[in-house]
Each structure stands twice: as C-alpha cells, then as structure tokens.
C-alpha cells in the first residue's frame, strides 16, 4: 500500500524536485553572474571611484525604461499567454504568437530608443537636474547616455527570447546571459579605458556591445524549439492584443515604480557628491542574494504556475507558491540578517582600495543596511506577484505596487532631508515591506495561496535559527570589531571567517530544531 509520504505536505515529490532542480540551475547561473558583477563593481570602484557617478546615471536611465519592457511588464504579460497557447493549442499557434509578439515588440521599442539617443540631454535634465550646475559632467552624462540607451532595445528583445525559453523549461541560457554584460564591462575597462581621452566611455561601449551579444546567445535554442521565423507586426492579433491588455496595468504600475526611482536619482543629484555611487554599490550588494534566490525562483515558478492555472489545478498552484514562500524564509531571512550585521566587513573588504576611501565605506555602510532591511520583502514580492500574473490578473499586484510606491515616494523627501542618501534607501525598503504585506493578504483573501500543514512550525524553526546566528555574529563583532585598515587578504580572511561562523551556526541551529532538507527538495514516494 502506498505510504502517505508519497506527497510531502500535499505536493507531489517529483514536482518539488523539478522545481528545486530548475531553481538550482537558475541560482547557480545567477550566482556566477553576480560574482562577475561583483568583480566588475570592484574594478569600476577601484578604477574610477566616485567619478563613476556619470556612468551610473547614464546606465540607470535606460535600465529604468527596460523594466517596462524586459523583466517587467512584457515578461509578466507574455509568459502566461504563451503558456496558455502551449498548453491548449498546436505548435503552429505558438510559433505564430512568438513571431508576431517579437515583431510588435521591436516596432514598439524602436521609436522610444531613437528618442532616447537623440534626446539624451533632455533626459539627463529630467532625471538628474542637479548635475546642470556642473556643465562638463552634465555633457559627459549625455554623451554616455547616447551610447548606452540602445541597450534598452537590445536587452528587451533578449528578455523576450528568455521568456520563451523559460516557458519551455530551458532556464540556463536566460540566467547566464547577464554574465555577458559583466564580462564586457570588465574587458572594456581593462582594454579600452586606458586608451581613451575619457575612460568612462569604455563602460558605455561595453554596455552597447553586451546588448548585441546577449541577444545572439539566445538564438540557437530558439531555433531548436522551432519558434523562430520572420517577425510579424500585427497589433490586432488576438494573442498580441491579450498581451497588451495584460501589459497596460503593469506598465501603469511600473511607471509609478520608475517615478520612485527617478525621484531617488533626482534627490541624489542634489546631495553631496558621491551619493549616487554610494547608493549604487549598496544596492548592488543587495541585488546579489535577490537575484540568486528570489528572481531565480520567480523565473522558475511563473511558467509552472501559468500551466497549473491553464490546467485548472488550484491545489498544485497553491502548493507551488507555498514551496517558493518557504524557500524565501529559509534562505532570504538569514541573507537579510547577514547583510545587516556584516555590512561594514563586506564593504571594506570589497571596495576599500584604489580610488575608494574609508569615508566612502563609512557612507555606504548605513545605506547598505537600509537597503538590506527590505531584502526579505523584496524577495517575497518576487514570488508572491507571479501568483497573480500566472492567472492573468495583472491589475491586483499593480494596484498594490502603486500604493507601496506612493508611500515610498512620500517618505523620500523627509527621510532624505534627515538622513541624506540613507533616507532614500530606507524609504525604498519601507515601500517594499508594505508591498509584500498587501500582496500576501490579497492572496490569502482570495484563497489563491494556502499554507501547508506544518507551515508555522517550519517558519518558527527558521526564525529561532536566525536568532542564534544573529546573536553569534553581533556578539562576535562587538568583541572583535572589524578593522578598516590592513591588507585586503587579511580583511578577506576575516570576512570569510565570519561568513562561515554565521552559516555554520544557522545550519546547526536548524538541524537541532528538527529541520530536514527533504521538506523543501522533495523525496521519492515510499511503499510499504
């Protein structure tokens, strides 16, 4: 007779293992990319110091628009529709949708890209007016932006291609593609920057080149799936119309989010010189666990949730969400706590050399902690929002996001007045916490997500284990403050020691409290 362990907490074990393998693949590829990104940031910090402000503004502007059309609005609207076509229709209909959506996206983005290139000075005036007081720097940002802005068009098409591959459970190439950007920026800094009158131009050309290479990387697998063909432009196609209908509220919501980011850059341009750089590097460190864990999970579960919705299987839908939420608790909470407690050791080890000074590090420590305070919320948003997008409900998470961003924007000015650049990071984290809470409550109220049996006990184990880890790290650093001086290798060894101590204490505490990895990975059915 089959044992009751064949379905751990109600979810088939093979489904858990499939999700675990897929998320592990994406996480490892993302980890490799983020490590390269960290190496890139260390190189840029050492080579340019706070002069990199100009490049960060020029790169942030196309990235703001990218979130409308890449991993933002288009991806969240396209994957559920493509999954529906794939689940319910013939392959010819899938191929037609991909070709028509691709051609329509190209057409939609091209005019915007041209406006960005030829209207670069106007965009800099709108996004970072504080730099108008320094004409040379203002002109440099505009020149950089003319080169970086076409990245919007290229990376959006790359995200489109990645969405197709993700729908077919091919996660590796889309997850590895960001490595191309990091490799280009590293290579162009080392090889091209020393030869240019303005070395920062090397970073801009690295971004431009990476856009082409990232798109080309996806083409062989798309060809294997037999979905490639001559792009078609037809905004009246039923599939394209459905995608655009789903996109509309997401774009509206994303516009509020981008306004929030624009306000951050706007205010930072009036703050002490270096504020943009301090915020950039603080945010980049938060993006490491966010990308490796939460974004990887989001990428993996959206196609599964979309197929489960299309197959009318609400129980499997809820269990998939439940699994992702538990993983965030398991990994996201200690990541949040670790970044807060180890902010100074991490920043001084990675960035205290070259053009970076101790003053820069001490300015970045509180902003990193402010961003890290919202890391758990940022992660949870990434796995809760797909629960709505998979059911082709784009309006609910957008309305919630709008409320959260309005809250964040309202807090920007008073917090920046009191705490300078740290206030901008803190307001972002508070907005994320509100967003997470409202998403969770909406899912619960609509019975789209129900926690499985033993959920509270699992979360309590995780919280207690984090308490043990936090006590050891906080107590140890109080007794042995981390030095800001000395050789880099000495600081690196000390940091590694603290990371090992935190990780070991967390894992041992979990084991002592009865946690078993099989609850998350899944196990094969046993018979008796």
């Amino acid at each position: 007779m089959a044992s009751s362990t064949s379905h751990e907490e109600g979810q088939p074990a093979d489904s858990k293992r499939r999700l675990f393998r897929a998320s592990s693949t994406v996480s490892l590829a993302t980890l490799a990319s983020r490590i390269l990104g960290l190496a890139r940031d260390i190189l840029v910090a050492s080579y340019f110091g706070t002069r990199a402000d100009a490049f960060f503004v020029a790169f942030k502007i196309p990235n703001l628009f990218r979130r409308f059309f890449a991993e933002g609005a288009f991806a969240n609207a396209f994957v559920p529709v493509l999954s529906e076509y794939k689940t319910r229709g013939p392959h010819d209909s899938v191929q037609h949708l991909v070709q028509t959506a691709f051609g329509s996206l190209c057409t939609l983005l091209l005019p915007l890209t041209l406006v960005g290139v030829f209207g670069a000075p106007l965009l800099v005036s709108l996004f970072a007016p504080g730099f108008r007081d320094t004409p040379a720097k203002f002109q440099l940002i505009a020149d950089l932006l003319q080169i970086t802005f076409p990245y919007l068009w290229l990376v959006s098409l790359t995200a489109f291609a990645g969405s197709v591959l993700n729908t077919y459970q091919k996660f590796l190439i889309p997850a590895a593609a960001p490595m191309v950007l990091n490799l280009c920026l590293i290579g162009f800094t080392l090889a091209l920057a020393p030869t240019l009158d303005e070395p920062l131009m090397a970073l801009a050309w690295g971004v431009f080149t990476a856009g082409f290479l990232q798109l080309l990387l996806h083409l062989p697998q798309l060809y294997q799936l037999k979905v490639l063909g001559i792009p078609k432009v037809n905004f009246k196609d039923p599939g394209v119309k459905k995608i655009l209908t789903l996109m509309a509220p997401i774009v509206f919501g994303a516009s509020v989010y981008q306004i929030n980011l624009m306000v951050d850059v706007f205010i930072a341009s009036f703050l002490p010189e270096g504020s943009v750089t301090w915020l950039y590097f603080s945010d980049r460190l938060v993006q490491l666990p966010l990308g490796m864990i939460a974004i990887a999970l989001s990428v993996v579960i959206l196609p599964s949730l979309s197929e489960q919705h299309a197959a009318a299987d609400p129980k499997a839908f809820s269990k998939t969400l439940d699994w992702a939420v538990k993983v965030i608790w398991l990994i996201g909470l200690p990541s949040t706590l670790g970044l807060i407690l180890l902010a100074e050791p991490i920043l001084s080890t990675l960035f205290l050399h070259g053009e970076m000074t101790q003053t820069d590090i001490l300015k970045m420590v509180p902003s990193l902690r402010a961003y890290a305070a919202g890391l758990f919320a940022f992660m949870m948003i990434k796995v809760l929002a797909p629960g709505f997008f998979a059911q082709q409900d784009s309006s609910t998470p957008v309305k919630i996001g709008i409320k959260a961003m309005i809250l964040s924007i309202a807090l920007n000015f008073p917090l920046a007045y009191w705490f300078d650049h740290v206030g901008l990071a803190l307001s972002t984290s508070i907005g994320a916490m509100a967003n997470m809470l409202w998403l969770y409550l909406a899912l619960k109220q609509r019975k789209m997500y129900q926690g499985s049996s033993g959920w509270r006990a699992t979360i309590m184990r995780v919280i207690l284990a984090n308490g043990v880890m936090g006590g050891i790290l906080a107590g140890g650093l109080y007794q042995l403050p981390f030095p800001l001086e000395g050789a880099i290798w000495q600081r690196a060894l000390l940091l590694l020691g603290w990371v090992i101590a935190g990780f070991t204490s967390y894992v041992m505490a979990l084991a002592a409290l009865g946690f078993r990895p099989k609850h998350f990975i899944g196990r094969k059915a046993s018979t008796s």
Side-chain angles (χ1 to χ4, degrees), residues 24-203:
S24 297
T25 298
V26 177
S27 293
L28 289 173
T30 305
L31 175 61
S33 175
R34 296 298 167 124
I35 290 173
L36 277 174
L38 191 57
R40 174 198 85 190
D41 289 339
I42 292 171
L43 178 65
V44 170
S46 177
Y47 201 98
F48 300 105
T50 56
R51 285 194 66 247
D53 271 4
F55 169 72
F56 293 145
V57 173
F59 191 35
K60 184 180 284 288
I61 292 173
N63 267 328
L64 295 182
F65 287 101
R66 183 196 75 183
R67 297 182 190 278
F68 289 129
F69 304 103
E71 71 274 12
F74 192 85
N76 286 325
F78 177 62
V79 171
V81 176
L82 181 60
S83 296
E84 183 179 22
Y85 273 59
K86 177 174 170 282
T87 302
R88 298 178 180 177
H91 182 74
D92 288 348
S93 66
V94 174
Q95 186 180 45
H96 174 77
L97 176 66
V98 171
Q99 293 171 358
T100 308
F102 184 83
S104 301
L105 181 62
C106 286
T107 304
L108 187 66
L109 289 172
L110 187 57
L112 177 61
T113 303
L114 293 175
V115 168
V117 171
F118 293 106
L122 177 60
L123 287 177
V124 178
S125 295
L126 292 174
F127 279 78
F131 290 114
R132 283 184 297 198
D133 295 336
T134 52
K137 194 167 190 177
F138 180 90
Q139 185 58 49
L140 174 59
I141 296 173
D143 293 341
L144 291 167
L145 182 59
Q146 287 186 313
I147 301 172
T148 61
F149 204 89
Y151 182 72
L152 163 67
W153 191 75
L154 295 165
V155 78
S156 297
L157 298 180
T158 298
F160 171 88
S163 297
V164 176
L165 296 183
N166 288 337
T167 304
Y168 282 86
Q169 307 293 316
K170 295 183 180 295
F171 299 106
L172 181 58
I173 293 297
M179 285 192 280
V180 175
L181 173 63
N182 295 323
L183 288 170
C184 284
L185 289 175
I186 291 171
F188 276 62
T189 298
L190 294 174
L192 187 60
T195 70
L196 298 177
D197 293 335
E198 176 46 69
L200 282 172
M201 285 293 178
L203 294 174

Side-chain angles (χ1 to χ4, degrees), residues 187-450:
F188 276 62
T189 298
L190 294 174
L192 187 60
T195 70
L196 298 177
D197 293 335
E198 176 46 69
L200 282 172
M201 285 293 178
L203 294 174
W205 285 113
V207 170
F208 182 84
T209 304
F212 277 105
L213 296 179
Q214 285 176 308
L215 180 58
L216 291 175
L217 184 64
H218 289 74
L219 297 184
Q221 277 201 333
L222 288 176
Y223 178 78
Q224 291 176 1
L225 292 174
K226 298 181 179 180
V227 295
L228 279 180
I230 299 175
K232 304 173 183 177
V233 181
N234 183 4
F235 290 101
K236 294 183 179 180
D237 178 83
V240 173
K241 287 176 67 176
K242 193 169 190 178
I243 293 168
L244 293 175
T245 300
L246 291 171
M247 274 184 67
I250 304 177
V251 168
F252 179 72
S255 66
V256 176
Y257 178 71
Q258 302 316 316
I259 289 171
N260 184 34
L261 295 179
M262 288 166 59
V263 170
D264 285 354
V265 176
F266 181 93
I267 296 175
S269 70
F270 291 99
L271 296 177
E273 184 175 356
S275 294
V276 174
T277 298
W278 300 330
L279 285 170
Y280 173 82
F281 286 124
S282 298
D283 177 64
R284 287 290 297 168
L285 286 174
V286 171
Q287 292 297 320
L288 177 62
L290 179 63
M292 191 180 72
I293 302 164
I295 295 177
L297 282 173
S298 175
V299 166
V300 169
I301 66 172
L302 181 57
S304 295
L305 290 170
S306 299
E307 290 182 4
Q308 288 158 358
H309 174 67
D313 190 350
K315 185 175 181 181
F317 186 97
S318 179
K319 294 302 178 183
T320 297
L321 269 181
D322 183 63
W323 175 82
V325 167
K326 284 185 177 179
V327 172
I328 296 299
W329 275 98
L330 178 68
I331 306 177
L333 198 58
S335 298
T336 298
L337 185 59
L339 265 182
I340 292 173
L341 294 175
L342 296 176
E344 188 171 309
I346 292 171
L347 287 166
S348 62
T349 300
L350 295 177
F351 299 118
L352 187 53
H353 48 81
E355 295 295 317
M356 282 290 181
T357 66
Q358 286 192 17
T359 299
D360 292 319
I361 299 302
L362 294 176
K363 291 289 187 180
M364 284 191 281
V365 167
S367 57
L368 174 56
R369 285 175 172 156
Y371 274 133
L375 175 59
F376 179 78
F378 295 137
M379 289 183 170
M380 199 63 77
I381 291 167
K382 292 295 182 182
V383 300
L384 294 177
F388 296 96
F389 294 131
Q391 299 198 32
Q392 301 183 20
D393 174 9
S394 56
S395 62
T396 299
V398 165
K399 290 175 182 177
I400 289 173
I402 289 173
K403 289 195 299 182
M405 289 305 106
I406 290 174
L407 172 63
S408 181
I409 291 171
L411 293 172
N412 264 339
F413 290 96
L415 290 178
Y417 177 80
W418 290 324
F419 305 113
D420 288 337
H421 66 290
V422 181
L424 297 177
L426 187 59
S427 65
T428 300
S429 292
I430 293 172
M433 293 174 192
N435 196 338
M436 173 193 69
L437 180 61
W438 288 328
L439 282 173
Y440 174 76
L441 292 175
L443 286 168
K444 292 286 287 184
Q445 288 172 356
R446 300 184 184 188
K447 298 183 179 179
M448 296 163 63
Y449 166 55
Q450 300 295 323

